[in-house]
Amino acid sequence: MKSLNKVKASGFTLVEMVMVIIILGVLVLGVSSFVILGTRIFVESTSVDQVLSQSRFAMERMTREVRNAVPNSLRVTESPTTFQCIEFVPIQGSASYLDIPIAPAASALTGTVMTASQGINTNQRMLVYPLQPAHIYSATPTAAESRMLDIASFTADADPRSGTITFDGLVRFSEASPRSRYFMVANAVSYCFFANGDIRRYDSYNMFNDLQPSPDDMGGDDDSALMAENVVINNTTGWPIFYTPGTLANNAVVQLTPQFSVNGQEFQYQHQVQVVNVP
């Protein structure tokens, strides 16, 4: 007698399919939420890192340039609600002079100086003993007597550590430096903090202004370099630059306290820069 084997059909019921769909939906939602959260964290951390890098670069460069400024060349101006700028003249070269025409001595066409380690560029100007910003920004380099004078040429001696400077005519400097020191200078530089959050650097403008120029007078945004963004101007503490002029006993001090904000996070720098008062 033969036995018959019954074969059962295999498959999914409707209830099982619905349960699988629900479970897969929950898993997809969980995974997508995790991916979205991770992406958001990455984007925010990248934004924070970018602002940190920009701010560090701007503060480091500004600190180095201010530290290398000509003594008594710093001055600060601001608009109550729009901007604050610090202006200074960077030292392009510096050394001691040996014999140059200085009042009340007679004017002369040449002078003997020690060669600056950076060399002497005839496109620059020679500056001796500036005691206040007006001695720089109100100077007349083409005059017969000034603290800052144009030079026509420089000829090194047989010993390259010294040489002869030839001026554009018969000239003399207004006052002698107690340390027989001279500076080679070119253009002024300005750093400006704006209420819109920008930090900009200006260097291509006429430096001979009795009054410190505003950003518009220096050419505006088109003639400046954007150094950093996201600066927050604190209504309580005010603008981030505070300048204490130097005296015969103390160096000049520039305090920089800019505050930056990005993605709800805020951080503030506390920098103090000394400008050695050795004119």
Side-chain angles (χ1 to χ4, degrees):
M1 188 173 177
K2 295 182 179 180
S3 61
L4 298 176
N5 294 324
K6 295 183 178 179
V7 180
K8 295 183 177 180
S10 60
F12 296 103
T13 65
L14 180 60
V15 175
E16 290 173 332
M17 292 181 63
V18 171
M19 291 299 297
V20 169
I21 293 172
I22 293 175
I23 294 172
L24 289 176
V26 172
L27 290 176
V28 170
L29 287 175
V31 172
S32 62
S33 299
F34 177 78
V35 172
I36 292 173
L37 178 61
T39 303
R40 183 181 301 149
I41 293 173
F42 173 77
V43 171
E44 291 181 355
S45 62
T46 302
S47 300
V48 172
D49 183 66
Q50 183 178 8
V51 173
L52 281 171
S53 298
Q54 287 181 348
S55 62
R56 287 197 196 102
F57 169 76
M59 296 307 298
E60 181 64 23
R61 178 164 180 175
M62 186 175 177
T63 298
R64 290 186 181 187
E65 290 198 78
V66 170
R67 189 179 290 126
N68 188 52
V70 171
N72 303 312
S73 71
L74 285 85
R75 55 183 183 175
V76 177
T77 188
E78 64 187 49
S79 165
T81 59
T82 309
F83 67 86
Q84 183 188 41
C85 297
I86 182 169
E87 184 181 36
F88 55 90
V89 177
I91 299 173
Q92 305 296 332
S94 178
S96 298
Y97 59 79
L98 302 176
D99 181 22
I100 59 174
I102 301 175
S107 300
L109 183 63
T110 62
T112 305
V113 300
M114 300 298 294
T115 307
S117 59
Q118 300 88 343
I120 295 180
N121 187 335
T122 55
N123 292 324
Q124 299 167 359
R125 299 179 175 94
M126 187 173 177
L127 174 64
V128 176
Y129 204 40
L131 295 178
Q132 53 185 311
H135 289 162
I136 300 172
Y137 300 107
S138 298
T140 306
T142 56
E145 180 177 328
S146 180
R147 294 178 187 262
M148 182 191 299
L149 293 171
D150 289 335
I151 60 174
S153 64
F154 173 75
T155 305
D157 294 338
D159 183 346
R161 291 176 296 180
S162 63
T164 300
I165 282 183
T166 301
F167 301 100
D168 285 338
L170 294 174
V171 298
R172 64 181 180 179
F173 289 93
S174 301
E175 192 172 354
S177 165
R179 297 195 178 185
S180 300
R181 187 177 182 88
Y182 75 89
F183 302 99
M184 299 304 298
V185 299
N187 293 325
V189 169
S190 290
Y191 278 86
C192 296
F193 291 78
F194 291 90
N196 67 359
D198 292 349
I199 302 176
R200 291 186 172 273
R201 181 183 184 274
Y202 299 81
D203 64 1
S204 300
Y205 62 94
N206 179 23
M207 64 176 286
F208 297 107
N209 298 283
D210 293 334
L211 298 177
Q212 185 175 350
S214 68
D216 289 338
D217 297 329
M218 294 184 284
D221 292 352
D222 292 339
D223 292 323
S224 67
L226 179 62
M227 305 300 293
E229 298 175 291
N230 298 89
V231 173
V232 177
I233 304 304
N234 193 313
N235 294 328
T236 302
T237 58
W239 293 102
I241 303 174
F242 183 77
Y243 172 54
T244 304
T247 65
L248 294 177
N250 298 305
N251 295 325
V253 176
V254 177
Q255 289 182 317
L256 303 173
T257 59
Q259 182 175 333
F260 295 82
S261 176
V262 56
N263 294 334
Q265 302 182 46
E266 294 186 354
F267 52 94
Q268 187 173 28
Y269 288 88
Q270 296 285 344
H271 276 214
Q272 188 176 81
V273 187
Q274 289 195 26
V275 182
V276 179
N277 187 25
V278 187

